[in-house]
Amino acid sequence: MNDTTKQPLPVSEEELLLQKQYAAQVRALLGAEGKPHFVYIETFGCQQNEADSERLLGMACEMGYEVTDVSANADLLLVNTCAVREHAELKALSITGQFKHLKAKNPQLFIGICGCMVSQEHRKADIKNKYPYIDFLFGTSLVYRFPQILYETMSGHCRKLYADEAVQRIAEDLPVRRASKTQAWVSIMYGCNNFCTYCVVPYVRGRERSRSAEKIEEEVRALVQGGCREVTLLGQNVNSYHGADCPDFPTLLHRICTIEGDFTVRFMTSHPKDASAALIDCMASEKKIARQFHLPLQSGSSKTLRRMNRRYTKEQYLALVNALREKIPDLTLTTDIIVGFPGESEEDFEQTLDVLQRVRFDSIFSFLYSPRRGTPAADYPDQIDPEEKKKRFRRLTDLQNEISLEKNREMIGKVLPVFVQGQSKTNAEMFSGRTEGNKLVHFKAAPQLIGKTVPMKITDATFFALFAEPFES
Ligand code: 5AD
Ligand code: SF4
């Protein structure tokens, strides 16, 4: 791939203006009914999908909807799908199936499905044939055209299943309704050029394209002025960021860190092959960047990595971790691992365990290999027996749980700054927050602290969370 493929292809101002006109037309249709209308969205998958959903909700609000978190109350239901693993697709299809009865109760309800799963032709065909109550479908390239899609569906009185645009583009300045006031996703680039042999992303999200640094800075500045305390920069491979007005990711980070205000910068995801010395130096020197790095390993076997087309070896990965820890000793390091990639032998798998033992990640996200239609690895003849995959998965998670517990216990007694997020998802009397390294921390409810970073003393630990109390010196 040459660099020109990374230059952004913008959606033109005329096209965006046209969408505003469609939004006004939908608003007029809804307004004529003289009652409030509600939108509900179900989001699967990664933070990029979360970010897309926030844009879809922003557009829906512009069209006159109010957001509800009760699907049964909705006049418009959206399912934003993921395609990275079969499990995510099956979950999205199952939820979609459950919406059928809502449509039976309320024939005025509109149901739409979007996202990575339906950017695949075979899934689009499934929706067409097996889910006749879905009113409209659009893939990842058409998010910005949501007002037009909804208007055409409403006024056309028939199903609309849209084809993705042949080349995916960047649409700036879409309305957005963010889930949090204090934390925000900021996409800096879209798509992927890496074609790891297991991964469907390059097929459903198109080629890499980077936003201009100026636009990104504008967004971050407005967020910080509005009270946002933490921005997470998003891209499938942030290290290959290359904006029309900014040569690389470290330069972008430096520019973002010069924005005035008290806020923290995180980013994901980094591809090990592109993590440069300049990036490490930038992280070490910029106080606004959280001391946290998510560095997907995928496998500890150089042979498997080659077959995955990852373009680094086990030794190169370990050297990168050493370089990171040398410059940033207090770094929190996390990773992604795929278990049971085709051809993975017991020896290959042990190489992965070996990396876990050597690196001692703070936590890992582990996945059973899931064949994705159209990707090279799905056709490799040496697929691993599902039972063997599950056994290896358990061995991997057992080992990591021990390591995570040890690492978390090392933190007991320490006083750390904790960013207070809000009520714990599992216990109403508890609140949760995150350390700078993004570790989950639970503590007694303290509503006055939401959105603040306060010192907390760590009192206890499990393998997945820390327990703390506010520290008064
Ligand atoms: N099977 C299992 N895991 C996968 N991932 C991506 N594609 C697949 C697949 N086909 C994992 C990788 C990636 C994370 C987001 O999802 O570990 O880093
Ligand atoms: Fe998928 Fe590899 Fe691109 Fe990540 S870098 S999105 S794993 S192809």
Side-chain angles (χ1 to χ4, degrees), residues 315-463:
E315 289 68 31
Q316 284 166 330
Y317 186 93
L318 291 172
L320 177 58
V321 170
N322 281 343
L324 273 162
R325 287 200 166 138
E326 205 168 287
K327 291 259 167 83
I328 315 163
D330 53 346
L331 187 74
T332 297
L333 196 61
T334 57
T335 200
D336 291 343
I337 307 276
I338 297 178
V339 177
F341 183 79
E344 182 189 72
S345 63
E346 170 61 24
E347 218 264 303
D348 292 320
F349 176 64
E350 283 170 12
Q351 296 291 320
T352 302
L353 298 181
D354 183 49
V355 176
L356 255 58
Q357 263 152 341
R358 285 180 192 223
V359 172
R360 298 183 81 239
F361 294 102
D362 289 270
S363 59
I364 65 171
F365 299 86
S366 38
F367 309 104
L368 291 170
Y369 168 69
S370 168
R372 305 285 64 215
R373 194 187 291 198
T375 61
D379 295 328
Y380 289 177
D382 40 8
Q383 302 288 325
I384 305 294
D385 168 59
E387 281 311 310
E388 181 57 33
K389 268 194 221 176
K390 282 187 205 152
K391 274 194 214 152
R392 288 183 191 167
F393 187 86
R394 273 194 296 274
R395 285 165 66 195
L396 184 88
T397 42
D398 285 350
L399 172 61
Q400 183 55 40
N401 288 350
E402 273 175 39
I403 295 171
S404 298
L405 181 62
E406 275 169 25
K407 293 204 76 154
N408 286 349
R409 282 204 176 134
E410 285 162 17
M411 301 181 86
I412 295 176
K414 290 192 177 157
V415 176
L416 303 171
V418 174
F419 178 59
V420 179
Q421 292 174 300
Q423 207 168 51
S424 151
K425 284 189 185 132
T426 47
N427 179 348
E429 284 170 19
M430 296 294 276
F431 265 39
S432 54
R434 300 259 164 197
T435 64
E436 187 185 327
N438 218 16
K439 283 200 187 197
L440 184 62
V441 186
H442 296 302
F443 42 89
K444 274 222 190 88
Q448 73 283 7
L449 298 181
I450 290 182
K452 295 195 175 130
T453 301
V454 292
M456 297 233 178
K457 184 166 184 178
I458 308 303
T459 54
D460 204 356
T462 65
F463 69 87

Side-chain angles (χ1 to χ4, degrees), residues 192-196 198-202 236-237 271 298 310:
C192 184
N193 288 353
N194 289 312
F195 290 94
C196 301
Y198 51 80
C199 186
V200 79
V201 169
Q236 298 300 337
N237 178 10
H271 195 305
Q298 313 299 4
R310 290 292 288 177

Side-chain angles (χ1 to χ4, degrees), residues 41 56 78-82 112-118 136-139:
I41 194 161
L56 290 164
L78 292 172
V79 186
N80 192 4
T81 61
C82 169
I113 188 161
C114 59
C116 294
M117 184 180 84
V118 295
F136 60 96
L137 169 157
F138 59 99

